[in-house]
């Protein structure tokens, strides 16, 4: 049976040591999600273990966006290898790179027009 995005999310969070898990929870609590989503409350994160954090991420953000949020938090922690592995395992690697390129202020309108179809969510 193939792993789900949730499984990969749990596997990634489980790789964090105690200190890194505490940092992850703090950065997650302070993460500003995109419009339409709320921050996860510290009272829910404070004593949470990897399985609880995974459940919270998915319940607050749904699987797809939860992977993006976790990856961005890991990158903020300078855990870029873990973030990259998570993105690759969930098929978000190319999408993540395209979004980062699009977010770059040096992207021209022509480049943005070329990338936009790849960033659209399939219906």
């Amino acid at each position: 049976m193939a792993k789900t995005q949730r499984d990969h999310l749990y596997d990634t969070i489980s790789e964090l040591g105690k200190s890194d898990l505490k940092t992850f929870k703090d950065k997650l609590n302070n993460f500003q999600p995109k419009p339409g989503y709320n921050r996860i409350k510290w009272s829910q994160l404070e004593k949470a273990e990897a399985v609880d954090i995974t459940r919270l991420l998915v319940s607050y953000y749904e699987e797809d966006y939860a992977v993006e949020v976790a990856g961005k938090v890991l990158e903020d922690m300078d855990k870029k290898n873990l973030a990259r592995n998570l993105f690759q395992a969930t098929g978000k690697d190319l999408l993540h790179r395209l979004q980062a390129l699009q977010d770059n202020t040096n992207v021209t309108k022509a480049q943005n027009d070329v990338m936009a179809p790849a960033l659209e969510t399939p219906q």
Side-chain angles (χ1 to χ4, degrees):
M1 186 164 128
K3 286 190 173 190
T4 65
Q5 290 186 67
R6 183 185 191 124
D7 294 332
H8 290 296
L9 194 55
Y10 171 74
D11 291 346
T12 301
I13 295 169
S14 294
E15 288 187 41
L16 297 171
K18 190 173 185 174
S19 177
D20 284 336
L21 188 61
K22 186 174 182 177
T23 302
F24 183 87
K25 291 188 286 188
D26 181 62
K27 289 194 174 289
L28 180 58
N29 175 246
N30 291 303
F31 180 81
Q32 183 59 53
K34 63 186 178 183
Y37 294 94
N38 297 313
R39 288 184 186 166
I40 301 175
K41 297 176 180 92
W42 179 249
S43 61
Q44 294 180 290
L45 287 169
E46 187 173 16
K47 296 183 181 185
E49 297 295 326
V51 71
D52 305 310
I53 295 167
T54 302
R55 181 186 52 78
L56 286 167
L57 279 162
V58 171
S59 68
Y60 270 74
Y61 306 124
E62 301 174 359
E63 281 188 25
D64 200 50
Y65 185 46
V67 169
E68 288 181 47
V69 170
K72 288 177 183 176
V73 170
L74 289 166
E75 288 174 341
D76 287 349
M77 294 172 58
D78 204 28
K79 296 288 183 183
K80 293 178 184 4
N81 285 341
L82 273 179
R84 184 179 60 243
N85 292 343
L86 175 62
F87 290 140
Q88 286 175 342
T90 58
K92 300 246 178 265
D93 189 44
L94 177 59
L95 177 63
H96 180 71
R97 283 187 276 160
L98 286 171
Q99 285 175 329
L101 182 60
Q102 186 180 37
D103 291 343
N104 185 335
T105 56
N106 295 327
V107 175
T108 66
K109 180 173 177 354
Q111 289 170 321
N112 190 40
D113 290 344
V114 169
M115 292 185 302
L119 296 173
E120 291 176 5
T121 306
Q123 299 291 327

